[in-house]
Amino acid sequence: QRRALQGNSNFVEGIRLSSQIKLFCLPCVRLRQSVSSNSLRIAQAFYRMLLAASTPAAMKAVSRISSPAGLIQPVCSPRLARLHQCFQPAVPARVSRARCMAPLATAAVAVKGHAAPKREDVITADPNNNVSDYIYEKMGVKLHQQKDHPISIIRQAIYDYFDSRNPGLFTKFDDLYPVVSTRANFDEVLVPADHISRSPNDTYYVSKDTVLRCHTSAHQAELLRTGQSAFLVTGDVYRRDSIDATHYPVFHQMEGVRVFKEEEWTASGMSATDFAAKELKDSLEGLAKHLFGDVECRWIDAYFPFTEPSYELEIFFNGKWLEVLGCGVMEQKILDENFKPGHKAWAFGLGLERLAMVLFEVPDIRLFWSQDDRFLKQFKDGDLKARFKSYSKFPPCYKDIAFWVSPQFTENNFCELVRGIGGDLVEEVALVDKFTSPKTQKTSNCFRITYRSMERSLTDEEINALQESVRQKVASELKVELR
């Protein structure tokens, strides 16, 4: 890209300033003089590389003002303002504004339905609040509603299956508000008061009584109260978690519920629970075959607070057994308190990313948030046979950090801090060494942080800067003693 644009002194100046500032927040790349559409595509590609290097911490440092054109103008240091000028001049008349825009995957704008929550409604001064800008920027993206996206393809395939099996029976909800009460998220689905999922170490709290939903089951009781007897709920859910290729703090779930009347199980000659369990297993085995082909299925007894009996469905796919979803017969207390007595129901919950990674052979969960056409154009709505083809593999950069732990330290807190600084450049955080001093009884942890971009090679200089920020913040915020 640099060679292709070496004749454009203004763009080269932008590159030079970019390398000095290491703060990239421009939402579009626009060149001063008229350029060919090919050059414009190169400029957009370069912008996407700049965007990949940005961090939530850097984004937070920039005050952003929306213009009538919908662009975001950075208001910051003179040096960054100069960088902005390098890309800011008017778009050539023969190139449409729409073609100059590079979409931002983390922009908090609604695809349809309700808008994303306002920042001040999610990140507050409440002492219980632990939502970061990194997480807020994912709200409102709604990958499950973006046509041709792998998450949307899986969602629609499941909708199609249930519509073909029971035409017109299931009502779909895929735009319910993601900020819910703790009562809806925990109490109404019978999560015990001492359950680990209630901890701020695992859940994003907006306030003492409100959270970012941990699961789509948070809407189960409210929909039953409105009289819904068969429904599918899809949405983004949020959990503080470890960092690796299969875990991400924002992912997408689908909740399914079907309620039966007494005459239905009476006519079958079965008990209410046996009837609901059989209907559940028949439905979900059919779903597995619809998605994955004629696979072998098996059922594993499990435990979930909101179902009894509870099961996990596994399929034999590509030579190994894979967990697909969790489900069960709904706890009667939930039905009696929110629907009406004399009924029985089943419920299931599944992760769309988990299914998409297996079905489409996507190796890294971060790819679902990529705006790279080399990823997105490999998939088409309705096509379940697509398989991801790797288009590049940039080298990783490993950095170790060792410290004596403190009472404030937990691995989730540490991962959250690292994500907040490194963003999606962080591929994995792994504990590689741990020991307790026999003299002081203090415990030391050594973590290896793997940095890797999916779109460009990283430089030692930028990773060293990120790692130094991690070291400073882990010492100041988690009160650890660096080694």
Side-chain angles (χ1 to χ4, degrees):
Q1 283 111 342
R2 185 193 295 269
R3 286 196 299 271
L5 290 163
Q6 61 185 357
N8 186 331
S9 60
N10 190 59
F11 195 86
V12 172
E13 170 69 1
I15 295 173
R16 187 185 68 77
L17 287 166
S18 298
S19 66
Q20 293 176 8
I21 297 170
K22 298 184 180 62
L23 177 61
F24 310 115
C25 59
L26 304 180
C28 66
V29 174
R30 301 194 287 167
L31 306 183
R32 187 181 302 276
Q33 61 266 40
S34 296
V35 295
S36 69
S37 60
N38 184 55
S39 295
L40 192 61
R41 283 194 294 273
I42 294 172
Q44 288 174 318
F46 180 73
Y47 160 69
R48 284 193 289 270
M49 291 198 302
L50 298 187
L51 182 65
S54 68
T55 68
M59 300 292 283
K60 186 175 182 180
V62 181
S63 171
R64 295 171 292 180
I65 303 174
S66 295
S67 72
L71 305 179
I72 300 175
Q73 313 296 328
V75 181
C76 44
S77 68
R79 183 176 287 179
L80 187 58
R82 171 69 186 114
L83 173 61
H84 183 58
Q85 290 174 358
C86 290
F87 301 98
Q88 183 57 26
V91 182
R94 64 191 179 88
V95 182
S96 72
R97 183 180 302 275
R99 290 187 63 183
C100 292
M101 294 299 293
L104 175 58
T106 56
V109 293
V111 174
K112 64 179 182 178
H114 73 74
K118 295 180 180 179
R119 184 182 182 281
E120 58 267 28
D121 293 337
V122 175
I123 300 178
T124 70
D126 188 289
N128 297 282
N129 188 281
N130 63 351
V131 183
S132 66
D133 278 297
Y134 176 81
I135 296 300
Y136 173 71
E137 288 163 1
K138 306 293 184 185
M139 302 184 75
V141 178
K142 303 180 183 179
L143 299 180
H144 63 290
Q145 293 181 355
Q146 296 183 16
K147 183 177 170 62
D148 297 331
H149 194 281
I151 302 301
S152 177
I153 294 171
I154 293 289
R155 177 202 65 153
Q156 190 57 53
I158 298 173
Y159 284 177
D160 292 344
Y161 167 75
F162 280 103
D163 282 343
S164 65
R165 183 179 175 88
N166 300 103
L169 178 64
F170 286 86
T171 304
K172 291 92 169 176
F173 300 89
D174 63 0
D175 204 22
L176 299 179
Y177 200 60
V179 181
V180 300
S181 68
T182 53
R183 175 174 174 78
N185 198 73
F186 300 120
D187 300 332
E188 291 184 333
V189 287
L190 309 183
V191 175
D194 60 350
H195 197 277
I196 191 173
S197 64
R198 291 180 181 257
S199 166
N201 187 57
D202 292 76
T203 295
Y204 291 104
Y205 277 81
V206 175
S207 69
K208 179 183 177 183
D209 300 318
T210 54
V211 298
L212 304 186
R213 64 186 170 210
C214 302
H215 46 191
T216 46
S217 301
H219 302 287
Q220 187 181 104
E222 66 173 313
L223 291 174
L224 288 170
R225 285 194 293 272
T226 66
Q228 296 289 340
S229 60
F231 54 85
L232 301 170
V233 179
T234 311
D236 42 338
V237 298
Y238 302 81
R239 295 182 191 173
R240 301 175 95 235
D241 212 334
S242 55
I243 300 177
D244 57 36
T246 61
H247 291 87
Y248 204 77
V250 187
F251 57 104
H252 298 76
Q253 274 193 345
M254 182 182 293
E255 170 93 357
V257 169
R258 184 177 179 185
V259 180
F260 299 97
K261 299 177 181 178
E262 184 176 357
E263 51 263 33
E264 293 180 86
W265 68 76
T266 300
S268 73
M270 305 170 67
S271 70
T273 298
D274 289 345
F275 175 79
K278 182 179 185 303
E279 286 287 324
L280 171 69
K281 292 181 177 181
D282 288 347
S283 295
L284 296 182
E285 286 185 8
L287 174 62
K289 295 178 188 298
H290 176 73
L291 296 175
F292 295 97
D294 189 20
V295 292
E296 183 181 353
C297 300
R298 72 181 183 187
W299 294 94
I300 309 298
D301 290 339
Y303 164 77
F304 305 110
F306 27 81
T307 54
E308 177 57 37
S310 302
Y311 313 100
E312 289 177 348
L313 173 61
E314 294 185 351
I315 63 170
F316 194 72
F317 186 71
N318 287 343
K320 58 183 177 180
W321 287 100
L322 299 171
E323 178 190 338
V324 174
L325 53 81
C327 61
V329 178
M330 187 182 295
E331 283 282 4
Q332 196 60 38
K333 182 179 180 181
I334 298 176
L335 267 181
D336 291 348
E337 292 183 354
N338 298 284
F339 194 70
K340 57 186 83 169
H343 291 75
K344 208 69 179 174
W346 55 244
F348 72 82
L350 54 82
L352 296 180
E353 277 86 349
R354 177 193 291 271
L355 297 183
M357 290 183 78
V358 173
L359 184 61
F360 298 131
E361 298 179 1
V362 176
D364 193 317
I365 196 170
R366 294 177 299 164
L367 281 165
F368 293 122
W369 295 88
S370 172
Q371 287 293 292
D372 194 320
D373 283 344
R374 292 175 296 175
F375 175 75
L376 296 174
K377 288 190 175 180
Q378 295 191 35
F379 307 97
K380 204 71 177 174
D381 189 38
D383 181 10
L384 296 179
K385 295 184 178 180
R387 297 295 181 266
F388 172 70
K389 296 179 178 61
S390 181
Y391 45 84
S392 60
K393 187 71 170 179
F394 294 100
C397 182
Y398 302 105
K399 294 292 180 181
D400 289 357
I401 179 172
F403 47 79
W404 300 104
V405 302
S406 67
Q408 291 91 338
F409 171 81
T410 68
E411 188 167 341
N412 277 1
N413 284 341
F414 178 63
C415 288
E416 192 71 12
L417 184 149
V418 174
R419 278 194 207 274
I421 295 171
D424 284 354
L425 295 182
V426 182
E427 179 176 89
E428 184 178 31
V429 174
L431 180 66
V432 294
D433 186 54
K434 179 178 182 178
F435 78 93
T436 300
S437 169
K439 289 185 177 181
T440 64
Q441 294 303 305
K442 292 196 300 184
T443 299
S444 170
N445 284 349
C446 180
F447 285 91
R448 178 159 297 159
I449 303 175
T450 304
Y451 296 93
R452 191 203 308 258
S453 170
M454 294 175 288
E455 298 179 351
R456 64 185 182 86
S457 292
L458 302 176
T459 66
D460 286 339
E461 185 180 13
E462 64 183 309
I463 296 307
N464 287 340
L466 290 176
Q467 186 70 4
E468 182 58 31
S469 295
V470 169
R471 288 178 61 83
Q472 291 176 9
K473 292 199 80 173
V474 74
S476 62
E477 295 188 13
L478 301 185
K479 309 301 180 186
V480 303
E481 181 184 345
L482 295 173
R483 300 182 61 207

